[in-house]
Amino acid sequence: MLFLSVLVWYYVHELSLTSAQIGFVFSVQAIGGLAGAALASRLARRIGLGRMLLVGCVLSHAPLLLIPAVGAAGGLVLTLVLASTLLGGIGESVQDISVGSVFALVVPAHLRSQTRGAYQTVSFGLRPLGSVVGALIAATAGIPAVLWVGAIGGTLACLWLLPSRLLSFRGQDDPAEQPESATAVSQ
């Protein structure tokens, strides 16, 4: 939300995108989301749910680094913004699907609603704070600084997965087949 709090302003005032171009950018991001959803099951089978979460996390944030860097790109501005949002949309979808799948496989059925509720409370509860922090950074350091902090911070937020046992979690089609896997990841 820190990044998104200033994004449209940046598109209009720094990159000189029109309202039609901005609408197209968001449409391409949605197409990326659909593509990510279509690829998710094959990706999960190939690399496992844990690695899929890492791929989604990185892919949903790292392409954002193009956005503040794109100002010097001249005629390639719209192309680079579209590439960034397409990849980001794919990453967001892959990340969301992998998180939901891990929850479904690891969290016991009787705790799923409470676990998901707590997860969403933290996630949605922090979003307004991110927007406020974005506005504060914009007021003191400028809009490009907000975009850099958001893109770098979002990408680095994936680092917690690297030492985690979650990366080796493959998931399975039937949770009853391998209960030890789910127990090992949840510990």
Side-chain angles (χ1 to χ4, degrees):
M1 291 311 293
L2 183 141
F3 188 92
L4 293 176
S5 67
V6 298
L7 185 59
V8 173
W9 188 97
Y10 186 75
Y11 283 163
V12 171
H13 296 285
E14 295 293 326
L15 300 184
S16 300
L17 298 182
T18 66
S19 57
Q21 289 171 322
I22 294 169
F24 186 61
V25 165
F26 288 123
S27 297
V28 166
Q29 184 176 13
I31 291 167
L34 292 172
L39 295 170
S41 63
R42 281 184 276 169
L43 187 59
R45 282 192 302 273
R46 179 173 285 237
I47 66 173
L49 283 173
R51 288 190 180 111
M52 185 173 121
L53 176 58
L54 179 63
V55 167
C57 188
V58 170
L59 196 56
S60 65
H61 294 92
L64 297 179
L65 294 165
L66 284 174
I67 301 294
V70 82
L76 293 175
V77 168
L78 185 59
T79 302
L80 292 173
V81 168
L82 290 171
S84 171
T85 56
L86 177 69
L87 292 172
I90 292 169
E92 287 174 26
S93 184
V94 166
Q95 180 181 357
D96 288 346
I97 290 168
S98 60
V99 165
S101 298
V102 169
F103 270 139
L105 291 170
V106 173
V107 177
H110 69 281
L111 295 176
R112 284 188 192 140
S113 62
Q114 294 96 325
T115 303
R116 191 66 179 174
Y119 175 83
Q120 288 185 319
T121 298
V122 171
S123 177
F124 292 129
L126 289 177
R127 291 176 187 192
L129 181 60
S131 296
V132 169
V133 170
L136 292 173
I137 294 171
T140 58
I143 302 291
V146 176
L147 296 174
W148 284 113
V149 168
I152 292 169
T155 303
L156 293 178
C158 304
L159 292 177
W160 72 269
L161 286 168
L162 296 179
S164 171
R165 291 186 293 170
L166 185 59
L167 285 183
S168 64
F169 183 63
R170 300 223 21 106
Q172 65 272 353
D173 292 331
D174 181 4
E177 286 181 12
Q178 298 175 342
E180 297 81 25
S181 297
T183 304
V185 171
S186 66
Q187 294 175 351

